[in-house]
Amino acid sequence: MQQSALLKCEGCSTGCAQARLGSSLLAPPQQRAQLPQQFTNLRNFVAKSPLSSSRRGSVASCRKVFALDAAMPFDYEAKANARHKQQTALRIGIVGFGTFGQFLAKRLISQGHKVIATSRGDYFELAQSLGVHFFQDADDFAEEHPEVVILASSILSTEAVLNGLPVQRLKRSTLFVDVLSVKEFPKRLFLAKLPAQMDILCTHPMFGPDSGSGSWNNLNFMYEKVRIGAGANRRKRVDAFLQFFEREGCKMVEMSCEEHDRQAASTQFITHTVGRVLGAMELQATPIDTRGFKSLLDLVSNTTNDSFELYYGLFMYNQNATEELERLGYAFDAVKKQLLARLHELARKQIGFDAASASSKRKNGVHTNGSNGSGSTTGMPEVADAVASTFVDQPDETAVH
């Protein structure tokens, strides 16, 4: 929409050609493309004008152009963006209004979506402060008929929460979305419990209130369109929901739930495990911390801020987690054995004792250095024998199984 306000040149009582040209600077992009030619025409007009010399000088002196009402809201791009938000706005219901549910609600509202919520606890005042309509009664929530229902409960409570939700009061075309850190479990649960007419979208925002407190740019967002019914409106709805994360800058990763759990076991679960192990060591910052150590402290902080129930859920509801935990144990044992083997090899050299040759001499009836002639030894060789008996002929287990 073109700016309708009249622009004036300094020293002119009415809008001149320059003023009209200045007004066109506020036009939409397709009209601004014609401006270079308009500038040329204006210059030729001034040069050839039959005006008197005094009038011509007045026109030539009109160099400062200003708007009478430049602050009026006629921004073309802002209006187009507002229209797009209005067209793609969804009515979204969040089941489970804990930390993560609140985290999502803030961003959804900022993009113009209407959000309602329900939860076992009383979050009425908090929800009101965020612009969310809260219903503690699940029946009242369902009767608001949200287009999209996000299940934002914990992994351990998801099945009980879904069983307690009166899905029969929702529209049959409702889109159900989960945001759990495991994916095969909610996929099977939704397919088993929800009516066949309802759509299912399994997602995993690979970030949370801590790691996603600022920009979501380049943060991974995994999803699988498990079941989307026929019809343009249903496809448009799921696309509008996914576009919310895309507009926030997320890196969109379409992947099956089964493949997600396989990969997450060796990334997310191991990350949480290492972070909790280091947290149990009660590591503390020091004045001489390296960048690597600071990264470990950040890892401890990010993982231990999450509840142990979340960590347990990552283990309990991902069948690949047990194998990864065993691999981690094998790897730790292999590194530890390699370290101790190197230590004892050095110790044998320092005491001047070759375990292999000592064993050969004993077989031949030759006494080692330090024998008193009666078959007994004294001092250091006895220690060396003990060390040798522990490590000689031990298999190499340095490889990770």
Side-chain angles (χ1 to χ4, degrees), residues 330-346 391 395-400:
Y330 284 133
F332 181 80
D333 289 341
V335 172
K336 183 178 178 181
K337 186 172 182 63
Q338 185 179 13
L339 186 65
L340 293 178
R342 182 70 61 88
L343 172 65
H344 286 283
E345 180 183 355
L346 179 61
F391 289 96
D396 181 10
E397 297 182 5
T398 58
V400 178

Coordinates of all heavy atoms in Angstrom, one line a residue, residues 330-346 391 395-400:
Y330 N 32.4 -51.2 28.6 CA 33.6 -51.9 27.9 C 34.7 -50.9 27.6 O 35.9 -51.1 27.8 CB 33.1 -52.6 26.7 CG 32.4 -53.9 26.9 CD1 31.2 -54.2 26.2 CD2 32.9 -54.8 27.8 CE1 30.5 -55.3 26.4 CE2 32.2 -56.0 28.0 CZ 31.0 -56.3 27.3 OH 30.4 -57.5 27.5
A331 N 34.3 -49.7 27.1 CA 35.3 -48.7 26.7 C 36.0 -48.2 27.9 O 37.2 -48.0 27.8 CB 34.5 -47.5 25.9
F332 N 35.3 -48.0 29.0 CA 36.0 -47.5 30.2 C 37.0 -48.5 30.7 O 38.1 -48.2 31.1 CB 35.0 -47.2 31.3 CG 35.6 -46.6 32.5 CD1 36.0 -45.3 32.6 CD2 35.7 -47.5 33.6 CE1 36.5 -44.8 33.8 CE2 36.3 -47.0 34.8 CZ 36.7 -45.7 34.9
D333 N 36.6 -49.8 30.7 CA 37.4 -50.9 31.2 C 38.7 -51.0 30.3 O 39.8 -51.3 30.8 CB 36.7 -52.2 31.2 CG 35.7 -52.2 32.4 OD1 35.8 -51.4 33.3 OD2 34.7 -53.1 32.3
A334 N 38.5 -50.9 29.0 CA 39.6 -51.0 28.0 C 40.6 -49.9 28.3 O 41.8 -50.1 28.3 CB 39.1 -50.9 26.6
V335 N 40.1 -48.7 28.4 CA 41.1 -47.5 28.7 C 41.8 -47.7 30.0 O 43.0 -47.5 30.1 CB 40.3 -46.2 28.7 CG1 41.2 -45.0 29.1 CG2 39.8 -45.9 27.3
K336 N 41.1 -48.1 31.0 CA 41.7 -48.3 32.3 C 42.7 -49.4 32.3 O 43.8 -49.3 32.9 CB 40.6 -48.7 33.4 CG 41.0 -48.9 34.8 CD 39.9 -49.2 35.7 CE 40.3 -49.4 37.1 NZ 39.2 -49.8 38.0
K337 N 42.4 -50.5 31.6 CA 43.4 -51.6 31.5 C 44.6 -51.2 30.7 O 45.8 -51.6 31.1 CB 42.8 -52.8 30.8 CG 43.6 -54.1 30.8 CD 42.9 -55.3 30.3 CE 43.8 -56.5 30.3 NZ 44.2 -56.9 31.7
Q338 N 44.4 -50.4 29.7 CA 45.6 -50.0 28.9 C 46.5 -49.0 29.8 O 47.7 -49.1 29.7 CB 45.1 -49.2 27.7 CG 46.2 -48.8 26.7 CD 45.6 -48.0 25.5 OE1 44.5 -47.7 25.5 NE2 46.5 -47.8 24.5
L339 N 45.9 -48.2 30.6 CA 46.6 -47.3 31.4 C 47.4 -48.1 32.5 O 48.6 -47.8 32.7 CB 45.6 -46.4 32.1 CG 46.2 -45.2 33.0 CD1 47.0 -44.3 32.1 CD2 45.1 -44.5 33.7
L340 N 46.8 -49.1 33.1 CA 47.5 -49.8 34.2 C 48.5 -50.7 33.6 O 49.6 -50.9 34.2 CB 46.4 -50.7 34.9 CG 45.4 -49.9 35.8 CD1 44.5 -50.8 36.5 CD2 46.1 -49.0 36.8
A341 N 48.3 -51.3 32.4 CA 49.3 -52.1 31.7 C 50.6 -51.3 31.5 O 51.7 -51.7 31.7 CB 48.8 -52.7 30.4
R342 N 50.4 -50.0 31.0 CA 51.6 -49.2 30.8 C 52.3 -48.8 32.1 O 53.5 -48.8 32.1 CB 51.1 -47.9 30.1 CG 52.2 -46.9 29.7 CD 53.0 -47.4 28.6 NE 52.3 -47.6 27.4 CZ 52.1 -46.7 26.5 NH1 52.6 -45.5 26.7 NH2 51.4 -46.9 25.4
L343 N 51.5 -48.6 33.1 CA 52.1 -48.3 34.4 C 53.0 -49.5 34.9 O 54.1 -49.3 35.4 CB 51.0 -48.0 35.4 CG 51.4 -47.8 36.9 CD1 52.3 -46.6 37.0 CD2 50.2 -47.7 37.8
H344 N 52.5 -50.7 34.9 CA 53.2 -51.9 35.4 C 54.4 -52.2 34.5 O 55.4 -52.8 35.0 CB 52.2 -53.0 35.6 CG 51.3 -52.9 36.8 ND1 51.8 -53.1 38.1 CD2 50.0 -52.5 36.9 CE1 50.8 -52.9 38.9 NE2 49.7 -52.5 38.2
E345 N 54.3 -52.0 33.2 CA 55.4 -52.2 32.3 C 56.6 -51.3 32.7 O 57.7 -51.7 32.8 CB 55.0 -51.9 30.9 CG 56.1 -52.1 29.9 CD 55.7 -51.8 28.5 OE1 54.5 -51.5 28.3 OE2 56.6 -51.8 27.6
L346 N 56.2 -50.0 33.1 CA 57.3 -49.1 33.5 C 57.8 -49.5 34.9 O 59.0 -49.4 35.1 CB 56.6 -47.7 33.7 CG 57.6 -46.6 34.1 CD1 58.7 -46.4 33.2 CD2 56.8 -45.3 34.3
F391 N 50.3 -60.0 35.2 CA 50.2 -59.4 33.9 C 50.8 -60.3 32.7 O 50.5 -60.0 31.6 CB 50.9 -58.1 33.8 CG 50.1 -57.0 34.6 CD1 50.5 -56.7 35.9 CD2 49.1 -56.4 34.0 CE1 49.7 -55.8 36.6 CE2 48.3 -55.5 34.7 CZ 48.7 -55.2 36.0
P395 N 45.5 -61.6 28.0 CA 45.0 -61.3 26.7 C 44.9 -59.8 26.5 O 44.6 -59.1 27.5 CB 43.6 -62.0 26.6 CG 43.2 -62.1 28.0 CD 44.4 -62.3 28.8
D396 N 45.0 -59.3 25.3 CA 44.9 -57.9 25.0 C 43.4 -57.6 24.9 O 42.7 -58.1 23.9 CB 45.6 -57.6 23.7 CG 45.5 -56.1 23.4 OD1 45.0 -55.3 24.2 OD2 45.9 -55.7 22.2
E397 N 42.9 -56.8 25.7 CA 41.4 -56.4 25.7 C 41.3 -54.9 25.5 O 40.4 -54.3 26.1 CB 40.8 -56.9 27.0 CG 40.8 -58.4 27.2 CD 40.1 -58.8 28.5 OE1 39.5 -57.9 29.1 OE2 40.1 -60.0 28.8
T398 N 42.2 -54.3 24.8 CA 42.1 -52.9 24.6 C 41.1 -52.5 23.6 O 40.7 -51.3 23.6 CB 43.5 -52.3 24.2 OG1 43.9 -53.0 23.0 CG2 44.5 -52.6 25.3
A399 N 40.6 -53.4 22.8 CA 39.6 -53.0 21.8 C 38.2 -52.9 22.5 O 37.9 -53.6 23.4 CB 39.5 -54.1 20.8
V400 N 37.5 -51.9 22.0 CA 36.1 -51.7 22.5 C 35.2 -52.6 21.8 O 35.1 -52.7 20.6 CB 35.7 -50.2 22.2 CG1 34.3 -50.0 22.7 CG2 36.7 -49.3 22.9

